[in-house]
Amino acid sequence: MEGIIEALHARGHQISVVRSSDSWYIKEKSQFYTSITLDSPSGFDEDFITMLVTRLLEIQRKGKSFWTRCKLEFEQAVKGFEMLEKASESIKWLLDNKEIMQSIKNTNFDLILSDPVAPFGAIMANYLKLPLVFNVRWTSHGEGHFEIAPSPLSYIPLMGTQFSDRMSFFQRLQNVLTFGFMKAQLAWVTIPSYDDLIKTYLGPDIEYTSLFQAADLWLMRVDFVFEFPRPTMPNVVYMGGFQCKPAKPLPEHLEEFAQSSGEHGLIIMSLGTFIAELPPDLADEIAAAFAKLPQKVIWRYKGAKPATLGNNTLLVDWMPQNDLLGHPKTKLFVAHGGTNGVQEAIYHGVPVIGLPLIFDQPDNVRRLEVRGAGKVLDFFTLTEEIFSQGIQEVLHDPSYRTNMQRLSRLHRDQPMKPMDTALFWIEFVMRHKGAAHLRTESYKLPWYSYHSVDVVLFLTATVLLIILTIVTVFKYLFTKVCKSKVKHD
């Protein structure tokens, strides 16, 4: 959210950010906002994520099997439940803190901008009766579209399946089963984690899912250059690539390194903040593949220096990713498939080799692969040879760059910049104290009304009654005719 906060601050808005005491990303002091720090740990800190990623990597490198998949799902479910419990405790801590809550009420905020991955903002918006805007598409129980818009499972793949919008019968079957599993997890794990809290602080008539469905606006960090076409709603605003901008000049040492690549060009690699280190054997395989290339490589990596590292590879703790992607020497981006990195690659037209691990990463790079703008490699069977072959294919097959540059042109061809679109709609909600006219009230219907089950049953009963009446009348007439004929004879 940092980019949006800075832009709102530049337009004269005053922002307060609620953060946990162990917040990883969110600094307590900033020139762009004041902070409200909860004396309650979120559990979502650097140690937690590092341990989770390491564990998931260990499980998946043991090979693909049904048992491995079950272990993987179980591990993610356990860690997810821990995060739900921590988030619930943090919300209770804040709502019970009369001093902070009174200060919040006295400030007379105009709007709550929240990440829906936890219901913190949704609960606070309901409690304070404030308009609610969600930033990003991920809720604590799945992808946001499925909560608010018609979502036919026949051509809308769930995240985690890695399917496209053209599914075979068995893929559609798996998509439906995945949806059922997601709904079961919501009913048996997620809702019980917050049910008592919601009933205590918001009232007995408030349901967990209705807190998300009642949001005034959803800012989705995708666009339909990247996302598969699907039904949507008036209160969904697409701002994919909102953080992208023209490249700035590189720091002197990086510019010198990039220019030294000559005609061969530059490859950049980053696996994001969550995957800053790799198992030594895997890092050695990647470094060995890079060492054989004529290209220069800038690799964001915090682990121990790989034994096979070549002279053409520069390891850095941090790099200006957007500026490197926009550099004319850059030929290829090796990435984990996070939303921001994928959008920046599209913006600058740089083809991608995806090494996805967790969350939405596999599906993000799969979307690029379907469009011919990238290639996905399996992190868990990766070898020097496989990695080298993948790099050579994307570098030397011109279709990858051509397809990615076509996506870039489509993405850039918009009447407004994505950030300007996001800011307009945030301020729109503030000006009008909500955007209820854009929000469907369908979530207030019981399930049988929403799916018209009661209407179908009524029509079915009516048709059956008419048929029964006709049959009865014909039977009666037939009987009368037969009796009359017998008497006449």
Side-chain angles (χ1 to χ4, degrees), residues 168-243:
S168 66
F169 170 78
F170 287 105
Q171 286 177 331
R172 285 186 283 116
L173 175 61
Q174 185 177 334
N175 204 42
V176 170
L177 293 175
T178 302
F179 181 77
F181 175 78
M182 182 186 76
K183 286 297 184 182
Q185 192 173 33
L186 170 65
W188 299 338
V189 178
T190 308
I191 291 178
S193 298
Y194 293 101
D195 201 41
D196 290 341
L197 183 152
I198 290 170
K199 296 293 185 286
T200 301
Y201 294 95
L202 304 183
D205 298 328
I206 303 297
E207 294 183 356
Y208 175 82
T209 52
S210 70
L211 294 171
F212 296 86
Q213 294 161 333
D216 292 274
L217 202 71
W218 289 72
L219 299 175
M220 298 282 194
R221 291 190 303 164
V222 293
D223 59 24
F224 288 107
V225 174
F226 172 74
E227 183 63 25
F228 296 124
R230 54 150 305 125
T232 185
M233 301 301 288
N235 65 334
V236 177
V237 175
Y238 297 95
M239 58 164 194
F242 76 102
Q243 84 284 6

Side-chain angles (χ1 to χ4, degrees), residues 322-340:
N322 182 75
D323 301 331
L324 280 167
L325 284 169
H327 196 280
K329 291 285 187 182
T330 301
K331 305 295 184 184
L332 175 66
F333 183 28
V334 181
H336 64 306
T339 303
N340 287 341

Side-chain angles (χ1 to χ4, degrees), residues 7 33 37 43 59 92 104 118 123 179 274 291 320 326 328 332 401 472:
Y33 60 82
T37 301
I59 293 172
K92 288 179 182 177
I104 290 174
I123 289 173
F179 181 77
F274 290 170
L332 175 66
R401 178 165 287 271
T472 302

